[in-house]
Amino acid sequence: MMRSKPPHRPKRILTLDGGGIRGVISLGILSFVEQVHRDRRGDPTLVLADEYDLIAGTSTGAIIAACLSWGMDVSSILSMYREHGPMMFRPNKPWQRFRARYRAQEIALMFRRIFLEDDGALPTLGTAKLRTLLLVVMRNATTGSAWPLTNNTQATFNTVGIDGCNLDIPLWKILRASTAAPTFFPPERIQLGSRTHTFIDGGITPYNNPSLIALLTATLPEYRISWNPGEDKISLLSVGTGASRIQLATKPIDRLNLIDHLRYVPPALIGSIGEEQDKICRVLGRCIFGESLDAEVGALSGHGPLDDARLCTYARLNPKLESTLPMDDVSLINEFEHIGRMYAEHKLSPEVIV
């Protein structure tokens, strides 16, 4: 059942970071978020699609965002990760691992089974079954550009009838593309009009943390959603998959090699860019909750130079991890859920759920 959103409240944005199977940390947090909204409205069956107007995600965050926009509750998505996690990360045959560690067929099949129209057809991005605005971040490796796609029918490249209309792309292909992390999964090819493009994981863009691009998509006139900005007009809730400082291998400097650097540089860059996206959102919005960014600026939750022109109210929910946890170890699913739930239980209050 689709419920009407309460009138006279701010527009709400929910964003979900990438992070592989660590998306279960986000789901542990979202269990708390969902319960807060259920308690507020006195409705034990409410889902987050009833509360949020725009849900954005990158990589594993894109999977969760699409499931939430589809109308699934958090416990169902958790069950999906537990059931299908081993399938998502099924190793390739040994002679194929030089291309990718894991097979793409299983995760694609999972998407094709979960997302179906009432008549059994495979939905496209333009499906009416998505109950919110949905934003999914991919990278177009053919053009070398970030591709944040939405189902907004007014968007420039969503005009029905144009050659290569984004609304005609199968939803499962968009999710496969957004999760095609290099070395983990092979790229995904998508036909756009008369051309075929190759896409890879949205984490290989500035938007592994999609909070800023979601806020810009909602407010910049060029994206044609055009919500009025203001801390009393837009609420942005950003949920991460756990933060840790990426460290170079603990070896003597003269023993570091190319493999050490290759293991260090990509996750360090993705983490650093994600932190910067968070910092920008805290400056542009009024930050009501977030862990300390560093010892100099703290949480940036006080007053600042943009007090008279804040674009939104902003909260960042992202537990700090004592060590770097793998993105592909499905044996840690229960531990990841525990991390998310304990963080929510001990750190959060209903007042920060915007």
Side-chain angles (χ1 to χ4, degrees), residues 189-264:
R189 292 186 179 89
I190 295 178
Q191 187 74 26
L192 295 166
S194 58
R195 294 188 61 191
T196 299
H197 293 246
T198 299
F199 289 87
I200 59 174
D201 196 299
I204 314 300
T205 71
Y207 312 126
N208 189 60
N209 171 354
S211 301
L212 180 60
I213 189 60
L215 180 60
L216 296 178
T217 298
T219 56
L220 287 179
E222 288 79 4
Y223 288 111
R224 301 184 181 179
I225 295 176
S226 300
W227 290 349
N228 292 323
E231 61 182 278
D232 60 337
K233 296 181 176 64
I234 298 176
S235 295
L236 171 54
L237 184 66
S238 172
V239 182
T241 59
S244 60
R245 297 290 182 177
I246 307 299
Q247 298 177 331
L248 194 58
T250 54
K251 290 181 178 180
I253 291 177
D254 58 359
R255 294 187 61 191
L256 292 172
N257 55 49
L258 288 175
I259 293 176
D260 293 324
H261 289 290
L262 288 173
R263 288 174 175 168
Y264 168 76

Side-chain angles (χ1 to χ4, degrees), residues 309-323:
R310 302 282 189 173
L311 299 184
C312 65
T313 299
Y314 175 73
R316 172 69 170 167
L317 314 183
N318 196 31
K320 288 193 172 182
L321 306 177
E322 294 182 359
S323 60

Side-chain angles (χ1 to χ4, degrees), residues 85-156:
M87 181 181 72
M88 291 184 199
F89 292 95
R90 184 176 176 183
N92 244 328
K93 295 177 181 178
W95 59 88
Q96 294 178 326
R97 291 179 194 169
F98 72 98
R99 295 184 61 243
R101 295 186 216 177
Y102 303 108
R103 299 175 60 174
Q105 296 93 323
E106 279 78 7
I107 194 169
L109 181 61
M110 182 186 77
F111 296 146
R112 292 166 67 96
R113 287 175 173 170
I114 292 170
F115 299 102
L116 290 172
E117 299 285 5
D118 292 337
D119 62 0
L122 292 171
T124 65
L125 181 61
T127 176
K129 292 198 72 171
L130 290 170
R131 292 167 51 176
T132 72
L133 285 170
L134 174 68
L135 187 155
V136 173
V137 180
M138 310 183 295
R139 181 177 182 84
N140 188 327
T142 299
T143 62
S145 55
W147 270 46
L149 297 189
T150 74
N151 57 336
N152 171 28
T153 57
Q154 303 303 310
T156 299

Side-chain angles (χ1 to χ4, degrees), residues 22 54 56 63 86 96 108 244 285 291 344:
R22 291 207 323 256
L54 166 61
I63 299 174
Q96 294 178 326
S244 60
E291 301 293 324

